[in-house]
Amino acid sequence: MWLEILLASVLGFVIYWFVSRDKEETLPLEDGWWGPGARPTAGEDESIRPFKVETSDEEIIDLHRRIEKVRLTSPLEDSRFHYGFNSNYLKKILSYWRNEFNWKKQVEVLNRYPHFKTKIEGLDVHFIHVKPPQLPPGRTPKPLLMVHGWPGSFFEFYNIIPFLTDPKNHGLSDEHIFEVICPSIPGYGYSEASSKKGLNSVVTARIFYKLMLRLGFQEFYVQGGDWGSLICTNMAQLVPSHVKGLHVNMALILRNFYPLTLFLGRPFRGLFGYTERDMELLYPLKEKMFYSIMRESGYMHIQSTKPDTVGCALNDSPVGLAAYILEKFSTWTNAEFRDLEDGGLERKFSLDDLLTNVMIYWTTGTITSSQRFYKENMGQGFMAEKHYRMKVHVPTAFAAFPCELLHTPEKWVKFKYPKLISYSYMARGGHFAAFEEPEMLARDICKFVGLLERQ
């Protein structure tokens, strides 16, 4: 009897594996209304309106007043960034923020690219749309949608955009020239927040798909990390015929048996398709997987359960907001930065760039609504939604940055994305790829598009 049960189990697994491998599903497109009140009977205004980031003396005076009234707790001796953001280094940032940071100048930097807004499903959706400054005769730019995550913003892409829209003048080949669209996720920055429960990554993918159609693009490339990778993946699951190619630098791939193979250790790495580089990035397993996840996922539990509670504190205190956000730009850039007194923040970023991202959250008052995105995506249970169980049948590229929170081997990626045509071990960089290593990421995007177009 036990032999029959074993054989039946093995057969069942083989059948499931075969069916799940070949089954090409798509998510239903559906529709929604996320604005306040009931959906109006009149049709939605589909106009695209120019937008400019603005500020005022009153806004800056209020910020300075709140910074001056800060009340900090002294850090423990030799704690560095192991207990979170070190308040001794925070004092340096606050001094710079209060006395040297020029928000009006940074607003001019933000307005360097054209901003727009348009109403989609009841929400004012913000985006920047950057076209090439010049095109060789007879050439057409390739539309590329780039989607940010948390606690980032559209500003993360400002340094990569020149490599994509004007590659020849920035040291890259002009074989591939893009026009880049970077929207803000609803509830982030200058995109209006939902008034209703349920606006998750699939809804956001649908809204951004409608945005691309409204801009006149029937086919386009998509790229993202963090939430952006999931939103772009969902778009490929919703409308695969419209997504020419999907490039991601993060992937949530837990619904397969491959992670379990790690427990067998290094001796069996060849059997399961792991490379020596995979072993370096995954082992020692206890540190690289379990301890790392425990250290860096506390925020996720809070934001997936009761985001509004911590949001009350962060939306009222620019200092608290800066500490909460900037801590992620330390340890998510490189886990070893927690051993440094300054969290290594200025090794990859300037204080102007870091504080500009914080100011986008502060001046729009969107930290709470941005955190609700975790509740909408994970509040029903971790990976409970159908799209987590679905594969993606769109040509895909994956950029594996060595300091990402969790390394994803090629074998894992290919299970979720069967049409993976490019997998790159990046030389350096962490979670905020476009912000940290814009040229390196741009080169990998161009490599992927070249491979795809030559197929």
Side-chain angles (χ1 to χ4, degrees):
M1 185 180 79
W2 290 109
L3 180 60
E4 292 173 344
I5 293 173
L6 178 61
L7 290 173
S9 300
V10 171
L11 181 60
F13 174 80
V14 170
I15 293 172
Y16 169 78
W17 177 80
F18 183 83
V19 172
S20 63
R21 181 188 64 172
D22 293 335
K23 193 174 182 181
E24 293 196 18
E25 293 181 279
T26 57
L27 290 170
L29 195 57
E30 298 180 340
D31 198 7
W33 175 263
W34 308 98
R39 186 172 198 155
T41 54
E44 193 163 59
D45 176 11
E46 296 187 356
S47 63
I48 296 172
R49 314 180 309 278
F51 169 77
K52 286 192 75 172
V53 179
E54 297 179 341
T55 187
S56 65
D57 291 337
E58 291 76 17
E59 186 173 70
I60 297 170
I61 290 169
D62 176 66
L63 171 70
H64 289 171
R65 178 182 62 81
R66 291 170 185 260
I67 293 175
E68 289 163 0
K69 290 183 175 294
V70 64
R71 185 177 65 174
L72 298 177
T73 301
S74 297
L76 296 173
E77 295 176 6
D78 198 34
S79 60
R80 291 161 288 177
F81 264 60
H82 285 272
Y83 282 68
F85 207 101
N86 187 294
S87 57
N88 285 339
Y89 179 61
L90 184 58
K91 290 175 184 176
K92 176 192 173 182
I93 290 180
L94 296 181
S95 175
Y96 183 86
W97 200 2
R98 170 63 182 84
N99 301 308
E100 298 178 58
F101 179 75
N102 187 334
W103 176 230
K104 289 184 177 179
K105 179 184 174 184
Q106 292 307 111
V107 165
E108 292 177 5
V109 171
L110 290 176
N111 286 324
R112 184 172 75 219
Y113 295 133
H115 293 247
F116 303 90
K117 285 191 175 184
T118 188
K119 282 278 187 184
I120 304 177
E121 297 192 13
L123 299 178
D124 239 357
V125 177
H126 161 263
F127 62 98
I128 59 172
H129 186 178
V130 188
K131 299 181 179 181
Q134 54 189 14
L135 275 171
R139 297 281 297 278
T140 303
K142 309 171 197 295
L144 172 64
L145 177 76
M146 304 189 78
V147 186
H148 66 89
W150 187 93
S153 64
F154 66 93
F155 181 61
E156 289 179 68
F157 300 115
Y158 266 49
N159 290 335
I160 196 175
I161 286 173
F163 291 107
L164 297 168
T165 59
D166 191 17
K168 194 168 186 179
N169 286 323
H170 291 84
L172 273 67
S173 164
D174 65 353
E175 180 184 0
H176 306 291
I177 303 176
F178 300 89
E179 60 177 294
V180 179
I181 300 91
C182 302
S184 296
I185 298 170
Y188 287 67
Y190 305 107
S191 275
E192 185 179 357
S194 174
S195 296
K196 296 172 172 60
K197 295 184 290 184
L199 194 150
N200 58 18
S201 63
V202 176
V203 172
T204 305
R206 183 178 70 226
I207 287 173
F208 289 170
Y209 164 62
K210 291 180 178 180
L211 170 64
M212 295 302 280
L213 292 183
R214 194 168 293 181
L215 291 172
F217 302 118
Q218 291 294 324
E219 290 186 316
F220 44 87
Y221 293 97
V222 295
Q223 198 285 328
D226 196 84
W227 282 128
S229 69
L230 183 58
I231 291 166
C232 291
T233 293
N234 292 158
M235 194 177 297
Q237 292 168 323
L238 283 165
V239 287
S241 61
H242 293 266
V243 177
K244 292 185 71 173
L246 166 66
H247 186 289
V248 292
N249 51 277
M250 184 179 177
L252 291 170
I253 306 168
L254 296 179
R255 281 190 173 269
N256 68 68
F257 72 92
Y258 281 111
L260 299 177
T261 64
L262 295 176
F263 293 101
L264 296 176
R266 291 176 179 268
F268 297 93
R269 70 176 181 86
L271 180 64
F272 296 108
Y274 296 131
T275 66
E276 189 58 40
R277 184 58 174 151
D278 290 330
M279 294 295 99
E280 294 171 1
L281 296 171
L282 288 168
Y283 287 86
L285 197 59
K286 190 183 292 185
E287 169 61 30
K288 295 287 183 72
M289 294 278 286
F290 298 107
Y291 291 164
S292 175
I293 290 172
M294 286 293 293
R295 274 196 304 266
E296 298 301 332
S297 62
Y299 82 99
M300 185 185 297
H301 187 74
I302 293 172
Q303 294 173 194
S304 298
T305 53
K306 299 179 180 179
D308 286 26
T309 304
V310 67
C312 291
L314 300 178
N315 200 45
D316 189 59
S317 168
V319 177
L321 179 68
Y324 196 74
I325 288 178
L326 295 184
E327 182 237 306
K328 307 307 179 195
F329 283 88
S330 167
T331 52
W332 290 5
T333 299
N334 190 323
E336 294 180 359
F337 285 175
R338 68 183 184 278
D339 294 327
L340 304 174
E341 294 290 343
D342 63 358
L345 275 171
E346 294 174 74
R347 294 192 176 195
K348 280 293 188 81
F349 313 107
S350 71
L351 289 182
D352 278 348
D353 282 351
L354 290 170
L355 289 172
T356 296
N357 183 65
V358 172
M359 287 294 286
I360 289 171
Y361 281 89
W362 174 253
T363 57
T364 58
T366 52
I367 187 61
T368 304
S369 52
S370 74
Q371 292 175 154
R372 287 175 183 159
F373 205 62
Y374 285 80
K375 175 79 169 177
E376 304 299 2
N377 284 289
M378 305 174 113
Q380 305 303 314
F382 185 60
M383 303 193 81
E385 300 290 336
K386 179 183 177 182
H387 63 85
Y388 287 115
R389 301 187 295 274
M390 289 174 54
K391 298 192 176 188
V392 179
H393 297 279
V394 162
T396 303
F398 188 86
F401 284 85
C403 294
E404 181 56 275
L405 293 166
L406 181 64
H407 175 62
T408 312
E410 182 175 359
K411 202 78 171 180
W412 298 12
V413 178
K414 200 149 193 172
F415 183 89
K416 174 80 172 181
Y417 304 87
K419 293 187 178 180
L420 182 73
I421 64 171
S422 174
Y423 182 97
S424 304
Y425 293 102
M426 310 305 282
R428 60 185 179 274
H431 186 70
F432 303 98
F435 211 26
E436 296 174 49
E437 300 291 346
E439 181 178 352
M440 194 181 297
L441 182 62
R443 287 184 183 277
D444 199 66
I445 293 169
C446 292
K447 182 185 83 169
F448 164 57
V449 172
L451 287 171
L452 179 57
E453 294 186 348
R454 285 192 292 272
Q455 279 189 342

